[in-house]
C-alpha cells in the first residue's frame, strides 16, 4: 500500500445513545521511513502539479466568466431576487390596492405604503409605494404576502449609487386605484382624473433624493409609459418636491 | 465546584518576569480582528513564549448584531431570513432549525415532499459548504490554487439554488409550513448532472491537496482533541466526529427523510487536524450518496401547507429543535407566551460558538503557525459565533 491511499476507509458499527450507527473511519496512513518519505512527498507535489498543468493545457475546462464584459449575455433565472418592482397589466396599470400586507410582512420595515382616498370614488387607494433598497434584504416576504400579485422581484442587481438618498424609491409611476378598480369606470375623463403621476425619487419621503442635482438612480424601477387612460398633463407640483424631511 | 471568572483585562496583565536570566519573557500578540485566518472579525489574543503558544484567549463579538433580541419583535416568518445571516454557508439548515421549532410549537404538519426537498437542499448545501471550506483551508495553509477549485464547485451548486430559490447565499427558502417555491422543473436533471460531476471532483481534491506533503506535515498529529474534551466543550459536527464520537443528528434525531436513506457517519481516528480535514472530505461523498438516493423519488404533494398572511399561533410553552448544519448542531430555543405570534425569548445554539472555544484546549503547546491549521480545521463562521 502506498503512503497516500485515500480509499483505505474502515467501515464498522458503533453504538451511541442506544443506537447502532454505521461508521466510516477516515484513512490514517503512517509515514514511511525516511528515504521513501522524500519520494512520497515529491510524488504528492508532482501529482498536484500535473493536475493544474492539465487544466492549463485544456482551456475548455476553465469556467471563468468575464464579468462585466459579458453584461449583454448575462442570464438570470426567472426566480432570481434583486430589486423590487411593480407588475403591470397590458395597459401599464399596476395591481396594487394599498392593502399594506407587504408592509406588515417586511422583516425590517423596508416598505412604506402611503394610501389616500380617491377624489372621485372616495375609495382606499395607493398614493405612494416607497421601497428602501438600502435596507431591503431580498427575502421575498412582500411578494409572498401580496394577495393581488402586484409586486415581483426583478433582476437588476447593479444598484450602486453615490448618494444613499438615491436608494429610496417610489415604485409606482401612477398613484391611483388598481387596474381592476379602474376598469369599472366607464368615462375616460373620470378615469384620467383618478390617477396622478408620481416620480421615482419625489415626494415627502425622509432622505429622498429628488432634490439632488445631476444624480440619477442607476437601477430605477422600469417605468412604463403612462397609458391611454392615465395622465398626460404636465406634472402638477408634488407635495414637498425636493424637500428633505428628516 | 468553583468557577473563577477573569476579565479580559486581568487575562491581559503584563506577563511575569523571567525566572531565569536565560529564559524568555512571555508576551501577548493580537491575532485579528482583521486576520485572513479569521474569515471575518475574530480577535484571538495569544500569550506566547517565543514561538510557542501558552494560551489563546478568543474575544468574539465584533459582528454582534443582536439577532436574538431582534427576533423578539418579529413573527416566525420574519425570523427565517435573519437565520440566513448567522451561518451563511448553512442557510438552508438554519432556516430549517427555526422552521422545525415553529412547526413543533404550532403543530404544523409537514408532508413527504416538503421534507424531501428540505433534505435535498440541506445536503446540497453541505457539499457546497465543505467545498468552500476545503478551498479556504488550502488558501490558509498556503495553497491558493485550492481556493479557486473550491469556488468552482461552489458556483455549480449555487446555480442550482439560484434557479429554484432565487438566491445564492441568503435563501429564506425553508419556511414554517413548507418551502417558498416548488422545485424548478430543471432541478432534478441539474442535480443529477452536478452529482455525476462532483464525484470525480472530490478525488481530484485529494490529488491536488490531500496528498500534498505540506498539508500532511501541517495537519497530521497537530491539535489533537480528545473525545472527552470535545464533549466537555460542547463541540459538535465534524469537529466532534473527528475525535471519534459518531454523534450526527441526522442519525440521532431522524428529522427530514434521513431515516429513509443509507449513509455512514464519518468519524476520525485520532482527532487531529488531519482527521477534521478528512471527515469533511468524506462527508461530501456521503452527502452525494444521500442526494442520489433521494433525487429520483421526490414524492408528489403541496409544497406549502399554510396561507401566508395568516398568523402562526403558538400555544404557551417552551420549545427546542435542532438540526445538523455543515458545522454542527444548530438549535433554536423558543418561549411562546401564547398571546402573540412573536417569541419571547428566542435563543440560538450555534455550533461555531462552542467549536471556537475548543481552540483554547487545542492550541497551548503548539507554535503560532499551527494555530492557523487548527483554526482552519475548525471551519469557523464568525457571524454565527457573534450572532
Amino acid at each position: 500500500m502506498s503512503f497516500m491511499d485515500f480509499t483505505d476507509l474502515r467501515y464498522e458499527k458503533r453504538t451511541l445513545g442506544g443506537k447502532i450507527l454505521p461508521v466510516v473511519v477516515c484513512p490514517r496512513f503512517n509515514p514511511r521511513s525516511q528515504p521513501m518519505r522524500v519520494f512520497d512527498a515529491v510524488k504528492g507535489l508532482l501529482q498536484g502539479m500535473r493536475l493544474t498543468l492539465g487544466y492549463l493545457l485544456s482551456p475548455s475546462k476553465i469556467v471563468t466568466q468575464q464579468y462585466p464584459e459579458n453584461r449583454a449575455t448575462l442570464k438570470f433565472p426567472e426566480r432570481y431576487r434583486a430589486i423590487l418592482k411593480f407588475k403591470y397589466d397590458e395597459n401599464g396599470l399596476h395591481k396594487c390596492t394599498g392593502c399594506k400586507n407587504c408592509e406588515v410582512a417586511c422583516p425590517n420595515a423596508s416598505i412604506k405604503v402611503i394610501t389616500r382616498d380617491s377624489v372621485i370614488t372616495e375609495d382606499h387607494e395607493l398614493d405612494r409605494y416607497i421601497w428602501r433598497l438600502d435596507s431591503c434584504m431580498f427575502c421575498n416576504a412582500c411578494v409572498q404576502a401580496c394577495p393581488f400579485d402586484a409586486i415581483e422581484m426583478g433582476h437588476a442587481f447593479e444598484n450602486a449609487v453615490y448618494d444613499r438618498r438615491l436608494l429610496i424609491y417610489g415604485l409606482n409611476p401612477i398613484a391611483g386605484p388598481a387596474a381592476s378598480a379602474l376598469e369599472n369606470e366607464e368615462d375616460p375623463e373620470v378615469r384620467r382624473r383618478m390617477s396622478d403621476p408620481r416620480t421615482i425619487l419625489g415626494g415627502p419621503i425622509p432622505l429622498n433624493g429628488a432634490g439632488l442635482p445631476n444624480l440619477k438612480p442607476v437601477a430605477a424601477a422600469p417605468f412604463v409609459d403612462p397609458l391611454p387612460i392615465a395622465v398626460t398633463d404636465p406634472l402638477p407640483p408634488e407635495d414637498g418636491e425636493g424637500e428633505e424631511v428628516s | 465546584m468553583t468557577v473563577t471568572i477573569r476579565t479580559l483585562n486581568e487575562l491581559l496583565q503584563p506577563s511575569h518576569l523571567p525566572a531565569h536570566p536565560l529564559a524568555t519573557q512571555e508576551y501577548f500578540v493580537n491575532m485579528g480582528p482583521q486576520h485572513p485566518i479569521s474569515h471575518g472579525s475574530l480577535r484571538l489574543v495569544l500569550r506566547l513564549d517565543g514561538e510557542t503558544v501558552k494560551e489563546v484567549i478568543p474575544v468574539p463579538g465584533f459582528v454582534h448584531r443582536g439577532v436574538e433580541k431582534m427576533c423578539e419583535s418579529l413573527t416566525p416568518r420574519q425570523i427565517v431570513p435573519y437565520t440566513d445571516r448567522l451561518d451563511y454557508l448553512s442557510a438552508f439548515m438554519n432556516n430549517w432549525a427555526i422552521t422545525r421549532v415553529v412547526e413543533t410549537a404550532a403543530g404544523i404538519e409537514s408532508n413527504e415532499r416538503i421534507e424531501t426537498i428540505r433534505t435535498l437542499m440541506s445536503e446540497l448545501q453541505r457539499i457546497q459548504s465543505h467545498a468552500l471550506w476545503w478551498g479556504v483551508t488550502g488558501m490558509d495553509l498556503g495553497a491558493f490554487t485550492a481556493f479557486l477549485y473550491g469556488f468552482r464547485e461552489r458556483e455549480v451548486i449555487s446555480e442550482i439554488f439560484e434557479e429554484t430559490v432565487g438566491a445564492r447565499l441568503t435563501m429564506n427558502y425553508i419556511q414554517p409550513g413548507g418551502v417558498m417555491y416548488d422545485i424548478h422543473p430543471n432541478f432534478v436533471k441539474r442535480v443529477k448532472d452536478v452529482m455525476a460531476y462532483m464525484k470525480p471532483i472530490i478525488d481530484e481534491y485529494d490529488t491536488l491537496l490531500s496528498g500534498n506533503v505540506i498539508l500532511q506535515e501541517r495537519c497530521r498529529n497537530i491539535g489533537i482533541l480528545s473525545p472527552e474534551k470535545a464533549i466537555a466543550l460542547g463541540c459538535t459536527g465534524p469537529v466532534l466526529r473527528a475525535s471519534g464520537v459518531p454523534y450526527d443528528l441526522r442519525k440521532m434525531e431522524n428529522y427530514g427523510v434521513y431515516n429513509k436513506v443509507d449513509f455512514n457517519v464519518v468519524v476520525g481516528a485520532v482527532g487531529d487536524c488531519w482527521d477534521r480535514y478528512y471527515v469533511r472530505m468524506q462527508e461530501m461523498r456521503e452527502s452525494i450518496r444521500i442526494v442520489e438516493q433521494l433525487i429520483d423519488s421526490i414524492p408528489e404533494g403541496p409544497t406549502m401547507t399554510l396561507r401566508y398572511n395568516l398568523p402562526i399561533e403558538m400555544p404557551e410553552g417552551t420549545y427546542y429543535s435542532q438540526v445538523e448544519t455543515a458545522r454542527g448542531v444548530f438549535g433554536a430555543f423558543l418561549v411562546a407566551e401564547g398571546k402573540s405570534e412573536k417569541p419571547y425569548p428566542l435563543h440560538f445554539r450555534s455550533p461555531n460558538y462552542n467549536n471556537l472555544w475548543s481552540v483554547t484546549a487545542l492550541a497551548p503547546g503548539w507554535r503560532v503557525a499551527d494555530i492557523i491549521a487548527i483554526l482552519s480545521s475548525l471551519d469557523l463562521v464568525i457571524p454565527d459565533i457573534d450572532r
Side-chain angles (χ1 to χ4, degrees), chain B residues 222-223 273 276 359 362-363 366 370-378:
Chain B
I222 303 287
C273 288
R276 287 192 285 276
V359 76
L362 282 169
W366 298 103
D370 296 329
I371 303 278
I372 307 290
I374 289 169
L375 268 180
S376 195
S377 73
L378 293 177

Side-chain angles (χ1 to χ4, degrees), chain A residues 3-4 6 9 11 14 16-17 19 21-31 37 41 44-45 47-48 51-52 55 63 65 77-81 101 104-108 137 139-141 144-145 147, chain B residues 74 78 81-82 85 145 149 152 162-166 170-172 175 180-182 204 206 208 210-213 217 220-221 244 246-247 251-252 263-267 270 272 274-275 278-279 282 308-309:
Chain A
F3 166 44
M4 282 166 283
F6 299 113
L9 299 160
Y11 292 90
R14 284 198 198 169
L16 184 77
K19 289 199 175 192
L21 304 169
V23 157
V24 51
V25 185
C26 290
R28 185 154 201 102
F29 21 76
N30 289 317
R37 218 169 142 177
L45 288 171
Q47 272 179 343
L51 186 86
T52 48
Y55 277 104
V63 292
Q65 288 190 20
E78 186 189 336
R79 297 175 183 175
Y80 185 78
R81 306 204 296 258
N101 268 352
V104 174
C106 185
N108 53 3
M137 56 185 188
C139 67
N140 214 26
Q144 282 187 292
Chain B
L74 298 173
Q78 292 176 334
Y82 280 93
R85 284 144 178 91
T145 316
Y149 281 61
R152 183 186 60 183
E162 210 175 353
E163 201 173 33
T164 288
V165 184
T170 51
M171 307 296 182
N172 185 25
Q175 298 178 343
M180 187 197 276
Y181 294 121
D182 197 357
E204 197 179 291
D206 274 344
L208 186 68
S210 308
N212 190 300
V213 62
E217 292 294 320
R220 285 169 64 84
N221 299 323
Y247 183 75
K251 288 280 185 196
M252 305 305 285
F263 68 100
N264 297 312
V265 180
V266 190
V267 297
V270 178
D272 58 357
W274 168 256
D275 276 339
Y278 213 80
V279 160
Q282 192 61 28
Y308 196 85
N309 289 321

Side-chain angles (χ1 to χ4, degrees), chain A residues 93-106:
Chain A
L93 298 171
H94 63 74
K95 303 179 193 168
C96 181
T97 61
C99 71
K100 300 196 182 184
N101 268 352
C102 46
E103 189 180 324
V104 174
C106 185

Side-chain angles (χ1 to χ4, degrees), chain A residues 59 62-74 157-158, chain B residues 155:
Chain A
I62 293 170
V63 292
T64 315
Q65 288 190 20
Q66 297 296 333
Y67 179 81
E69 285 80 8
N70 67 348
R71 269 207 191 102
T73 55
L74 269 185
F157 67 100
E158 291 168 321
Chain B
E155 180 65 27

Side-chain angles (χ1 to χ4, degrees), chain A residues 79, chain B residues 113-114 116-118 120-121 124 160 163-165 173 179-189 191 294-295 297-301 303:
Chain A
R79 297 175 183 175
Chain B
R113 183 179 179 82
I114 294 171
T116 309
I117 294 173
R118 288 173 177 178
L120 271 171
M121 289 295 183
L124 284 172
I160 298 177
E163 201 173 33
T164 288
V165 184
Y173 182 63
V179 291
M180 187 197 276
Y181 294 121
D182 197 357
I183 50 171
H184 196 271
N186 296 342
F187 179 77
V188 173
K189 185 182 169 298
V191 170
L294 288 174
I295 192 69
S297 54
I298 303 176
E300 291 300 313
T303 49

Side-chain angles (χ1 to χ4, degrees), chain B residues 10 77-78 98 126 153 187 203 205 207 244 256 327 332 375:
Chain B
E10 287 165 8
R77 284 198 185 85
Q78 292 176 334
I98 183 70
R126 196 183 309 276
E153 272 67 66
F187 179 77
D203 296 336
Y205 286 1
T207 314
R327 281 157 199 81
L375 268 180

